[in-house]
Amino acid sequence: MKEQRFATYEEMSRQAAEAIAAVVRAKPDAVLGLATGSTPVGTYRHLVRMHREDGLDFSRVTTVNLDEYLGLPGSHEQSYRHFMEEHLFRHVNVDPSRTFLPDGLAEDPAEEGRRYDALVESLGGTDIQLLGIGLDGHIGFNEPCDEFVRPTHAVDLDPSTIRANARFFASESEVPRRAITMGMGAIFGARRILLLAAGEAKLSIFEAAARGAITPRVPASILQLHPDASFFFTRDRGE
Ligand code: PGA
């Protein structure tokens, strides 16, 4: 696992976008594992810029996102599908039929999890997986628990996650209580992992994930075992 620190959010975002762009240039039909949240917004901004200015071509790329709220349709303003449309998909030439997220309206989340894992497997796994990290150490919505969960699965969100995400909703009561997330199997199966963290508040969990005990109580810590994981940190939140 390689750790890199950046003076600014902008610089971290540019480097993260460069890493993703390098994968796409080397393999035009790459499978990109993507993430939502505030942290990757700058990375997507740079990817959009590279598409516009340098012709970075997404026409043969496939994207698979980590997670989605359960109970929100993709058209909902706070759905992760909507987030991805706003921050990346509609600004680049990715084929909309090759952009995948778990279905937040799935009647049977366990079945949806099996379908999603089979999809990722049929694509040959992801070439690079972009990750944020929650204040509690979660990746995707793999919250701290007693064991690492391998398949894509439904989760009850941790109260700290609900509080953290309330900033995007009119009130905390509107934040969905459940989500469906890629499990550690699909995440860890990525050929390359890029985890980003920004802001002083993330420093202690970042250090626990990067150098602390490998434990499902800090879900991101398992990435210490990945053969090609990079952890990027900046104190700058970029606001
Ligand atoms: P954030 O979320 O980027 O909005 O801080 C990260 C996460 O919860 O994974």
Side-chain angles (χ1 to χ4, degrees), residues 15-36:
Q15 288 288 334
E18 267 306 331
I20 294 170
V23 170
V24 173
R25 286 190 203 105
K27 186 178 175 191
D29 61 348
V31 180
L32 306 181
L34 301 179
T36 51

Side-chain angles (χ1 to χ4, degrees), residues 36-40 132-135 138-140 165 167-168 202 237:
T36 51
S38 312
T39 314
I133 180 170
L135 287 168
H138 71 214
I139 46 177
N165 290 4
R167 66 192 195 275
F168 301 113
K202 293 272 177 83
R237 280 176 53 88

Side-chain angles (χ1 to χ4, degrees), residues 102-176:
D103 179 6
L105 292 185
E107 300 231 323
D108 179 347
E111 177 54 34
E112 173 61 6
R114 283 189 287 277
R115 186 195 69 83
Y116 204 67
D117 284 337
L119 168 75
V120 174
E121 202 181 318
S122 74
L123 294 168
T126 52
D127 290 294
I128 186 165
Q129 176 68 59
L130 185 63
L131 295 169
I133 180 170
L135 287 168
D136 60 1
H138 71 214
I139 46 177
F141 274 130
N142 291 274
E143 300 283 19
C145 61
D146 294 334
E147 54 186 29
F148 294 111
V149 181
R150 188 185 183 98
T152 296
H153 60 287
V155 284
D156 295 324
L157 300 184
D158 194 89
S160 71
T161 302
I162 293 170
R163 267 196 307 280
N165 290 4
R167 66 192 195 275
F168 301 113
F169 291 81
S171 72
E172 191 172 317
S173 63
E174 285 185 26
V175 183

